[in-house]
Amino acid sequence: MELPVQFRERMLRLLGDEAFCQYEESFKKERMYGLRVNTRKISVEEFIKISPFSIEKIPWIANGFYYDGTKDTPAKHPYYHAGLYYLQEPSAMTPASLLRAEPGDRVLDLCAAPGGKATELGVQLKGRGLLAANDISASRAKGLLKNLELFGIPNVMVTSETPEKLKTVYEGFFDKILIDAPCSGEGMFRKDPAIMKSWVKKGPAQYSVIQREITETALQMLKSGGICLYSTCTFAPEENEGTILYLLKNHPELEVLEAPAYQGFSTGRPEWLEEDCQGYEEQLQRCIRIWPYKMDGEGHFIALLHKKETAGCSKMTRASFIDESGLQKPKSRQAVAAVNKDLEEFLSILKVDWDESCFEFCQGRVYYVAHETQKMRGLHILRNGLLLGECRKNRFEPSQALAMFLTKEQCRQTISLDCGDIRVIKYLKGETIEVEDLVDEQASGWQLVCVSGYPLGWGKLVQGTLKNKYHQGWRWM
């Protein structure tokens, strides 16, 4: 592979002959493919038991696995459509695993599309707190929303805004922020050589300006005592240690935290910077670099920043949404019944302890929304909370998002197909299927359709025939 001359000369100068030779040799290695288990839906141990693929543990990611991308196609398996895993490059799993969102946290993923890191942060919250997932591109934000719905994350707000606009609403609001910053992508040259063409046109200098603007704004949304994780998939010092040094110099309230060590992680390299970093060397060394010649993954850079608490600054209380352990009979629904009796009847088949005050009705749609985002206005919001469904004339249509949020045990009316049953693929293609062998003769109405006990979507049962209600935009191609 022909590396850009300027890039090659710089890397040779920084790494030295031996390490640079090892780096070049890494281009001859097979690309590593990864999947991350959605532990909101299935435990790692259970996934290992049912996995149809040949998988191997990623040592530094608790729920991450390598798979053979030359033989297996996990994106074309029903378990993918059930949201049991996310396909993600192994090194890219590291930032969300290190940020470690706690249930009740308010978390912002600022540059979130397509959702690899956001889905993991949402799982870590366990349905409590708030995940704000943003991407400035509206088209990419739509893909982000789909992945969050596929994973069954309920306590989410998906926006498509500039960081500056978000700051006007969320100043000092978040406990944790993840910034997977736009970068020159040097760490992905091995995975996707086409990135080199963009690098030649733009280079690190242009991105370092953007990164500093984004992080400056993001820090204003971080509360006192909060943690911000900054990551890139590039090697350029000016985009990595240079950005962190800039933040440390301009924000004395910041400090770089020690991250959990792993044998293959390398430290930050302050000596690679051309500017003076005296007094900051130790903190910069706490940053993490992942090299493709040292680990089975692509290149990455990570820094954990702590915003030290200032005197007189109190911590915000943790957010509440829904306790996912709640399987009790729903509370009284006078407010719901007043809007739509079909909705009330539908909710009676679910075993979820809803907080009635979190219901919102907007243009016929019904949402379950966290209290503290119910008053948010002035933002381009693609989704706020969990979309339960739509109240149409004389009927209620439950949403795909609700199906993916639920477990089989939380619905009284379910149809579960074996993974190898041809009807699974027919269902995912949007076809009507016969299920007389799986239901009682008297059974009818809405059914939560599952594969191996894991929800895929909705169907409506009429005399042994299941009318397909699987989301049209998600259908098997």
Side-chain angles (χ1 to χ4, degrees):
M1 181 178 295
E2 192 70 28
L3 294 170
V5 175
Q6 190 177 356
F7 171 77
R8 191 179 191 281
E9 290 176 349
R10 189 197 71 202
M11 294 297 287
L12 182 59
R13 184 178 70 253
L14 295 178
L15 291 174
D17 293 342
E18 183 179 350
F20 180 75
C21 184
Q22 293 174 344
Y23 169 65
E24 277 198 311
E25 284 294 310
S26 71
F27 281 84
K28 299 177 183 178
K29 295 185 347 184
E30 289 290 330
R31 174 189 163 188
M32 303 302 293
Y33 295 84
L35 66 82
R36 195 191 70 248
V37 176
N38 180 0
T39 54
R40 183 189 174 276
K41 292 178 179 279
I42 185 172
S43 70
V44 170
E45 293 73 23
E46 282 301 312
F47 181 77
I48 292 172
K49 290 178 183 177
I50 70 168
S51 173
F53 321 117
S54 176
I55 56 176
E56 180 184 345
K57 193 76 182 61
I58 298 175
W60 70 98
I61 303 294
N63 55 337
F65 292 87
Y66 298 110
Y67 70 92
D68 189 342
T70 64
K71 297 179 181 178
D72 295 322
T73 54
K76 296 293 290 183
H77 194 280
Y79 289 161
Y80 177 83
H81 292 265
L84 298 192
Y85 51 82
Y86 188 95
L87 302 180
Q88 190 173 25
E89 193 281 312
S91 294
M93 299 180 190
T94 312
S97 72
L98 292 179
L99 185 55
R100 294 185 180 178
E102 298 288 339
D105 280 345
R106 299 183 179 102
V107 182
L108 170 65
D109 188 346
L110 187 57
C111 311
K117 299 170 179 67
T119 49
E120 175 62 15
L121 293 172
V123 168
Q124 292 172 10
L125 288 174
K126 298 182 179 178
R128 300 190 290 278
L130 174 69
L131 171 65
N134 178 75
D135 200 275
I136 194 170
S137 165
S139 60
R140 284 169 54 82
K142 289 178 182 177
L144 164 66
L145 173 59
K146 177 187 174 180
N147 282 323
L148 288 165
E149 288 185 335
L150 188 63
F151 253 50
I153 310 299
N155 48 326
V156 66
M157 174 183 278
V158 178
T159 58
S160 180
E161 283 292 358
T162 63
E164 291 77 12
K165 187 68 177 289
L166 288 174
K167 186 195 69 175
T168 64
V169 177
Y170 289 122
E171 189 166 356
F173 184 83
F174 293 103
D175 298 281
K176 287 168 184 166
I177 296 177
L178 191 149
I179 307 169
D180 188 33
C183 69
S184 59
E186 296 171 358
M188 296 293 134
F189 284 0
R190 200 174 71 102
K191 175 184 174 185
D192 184 4
I195 295 175
M196 288 188 278
K197 294 180 180 179
S198 174
W199 186 93
V200 172
K201 290 180 179 179
K202 297 180 180 180
Q206 181 173 331
Y207 284 103
S208 66
V209 174
I210 297 171
Q211 291 154 359
R212 295 178 187 195
E213 290 175 352
I214 290 175
T215 50
E216 279 276 13
T217 305
L219 287 170
Q220 295 177 59
M221 292 186 273
L222 186 66
K223 75 174 190 179
S224 179
I227 296 174
C228 174
L229 187 143
Y230 174 85
S231 70
T232 71
C233 56
T234 196
F235 302 128
E238 57 265 50
E239 297 183 66
N240 295 328
E241 290 90 348
T243 296
I244 302 304
L245 177 61
Y246 169 83
L247 295 174
L248 292 174
K249 285 183 174 180
N250 287 278
H251 296 275
E253 74 277 15
L254 291 179
E255 61 179 342
V256 181
L257 296 178
E258 289 274 7
Y262 174 72
Q263 185 177 0
F265 289 168
S266 299
T267 62
R269 301 296 293 268
E271 69 273 18
W272 286 356
L273 294 174
E274 295 181 0
E275 57 188 303
D276 178 27
C277 58
Q278 187 174 359
Y280 298 99
E281 296 93 339
E282 183 180 345
Q283 291 201 65
L284 292 174
Q285 287 171 354
R286 295 174 192 163
C287 300
I288 293 172
R289 282 180 171 274
I290 297 177
W291 295 97
Y293 67 90
K294 290 188 175 183
M295 298 174 72
D296 288 328
E298 306 304 325
H300 238 75
F301 174 88
I302 300 163
L304 270 174
L305 297 164
H306 175 234
K307 192 175 188 179
K308 292 176 282 189
E309 292 187 52
T310 55
C313 199
S314 60
K315 288 187 177 181
M316 291 186 176
T317 57
R318 288 194 166 185
S320 62
F321 189 76
I322 185 171
D323 186 343
E324 293 197 339
S325 65
L327 297 174
Q328 305 170 21
K329 185 177 179 180
K331 300 174 183 178
S332 61
R333 297 199 186 82
Q334 292 86 348
V336 174
V339 175
N340 188 286
K341 288 190 176 181
D342 292 309
L343 168 60
E344 180 188 20
E345 181 180 342
F346 173 80
L347 291 178
S348 69
I349 73 171
L350 304 182
K351 295 179 281 186
V352 180
D353 188 17
W354 304 107
D355 178 351
E356 190 176 313
S357 65
C358 288
F359 284 107
E360 269 200 0
F361 304 89
C362 180
Q363 299 180 338
R365 290 189 166 192
V366 187
Y367 299 88
Y368 194 72
V369 181
H371 288 296
E372 56 197 337
T373 64
Q374 289 178 350
K375 303 298 182 184
M376 293 299 179
R377 297 293 183 266
L379 297 176
H380 182 200
I381 300 174
L382 281 74
R383 178 63 46 80
N384 186 12
L386 174 65
L387 173 62
L388 300 182
E390 190 170 352
C391 296
R392 299 181 178 177
K393 189 176 181 180
N394 299 323
R395 72 184 192 278
F396 172 76
E397 293 269 353
S399 73
Q400 182 70 32
L402 176 59
M404 304 312 293
F405 160 72
L406 295 169
T407 64
K408 181 176 180 288
E409 292 71 28
Q410 287 177 306
C411 187
R412 293 185 173 89
Q413 297 175 189
T414 64
I415 293 174
S416 189
L417 302 165
D418 292 335
C419 185
D421 193 321
I422 188 63
R423 288 175 290 187
V424 175
I425 305 302
K426 287 185 175 182
Y427 173 77
L428 292 172
K429 287 182 175 180
E431 299 176 16
T432 297
I433 58 176
E434 299 297 326
V435 291
E436 289 179 320
D437 58 319
L438 300 175
V439 297
D440 296 329
E441 290 184 11
Q442 296 80 17
S444 64
W446 288 104
Q447 304 289 322
L448 183 63
V449 183
C450 305
V451 57
S452 304
Y454 300 100
L456 289 171
W458 297 105
K460 204 159 191 182
L461 187 63
V462 180
Q463 296 180 344
T465 298
L466 190 74
K467 293 185 177 181
N468 201 306
K469 299 293 182 179
Y470 188 63
H471 192 291
Q472 188 170 358
W474 289 24
R475 289 180 181 172
W476 186 285
M477 300 296 289

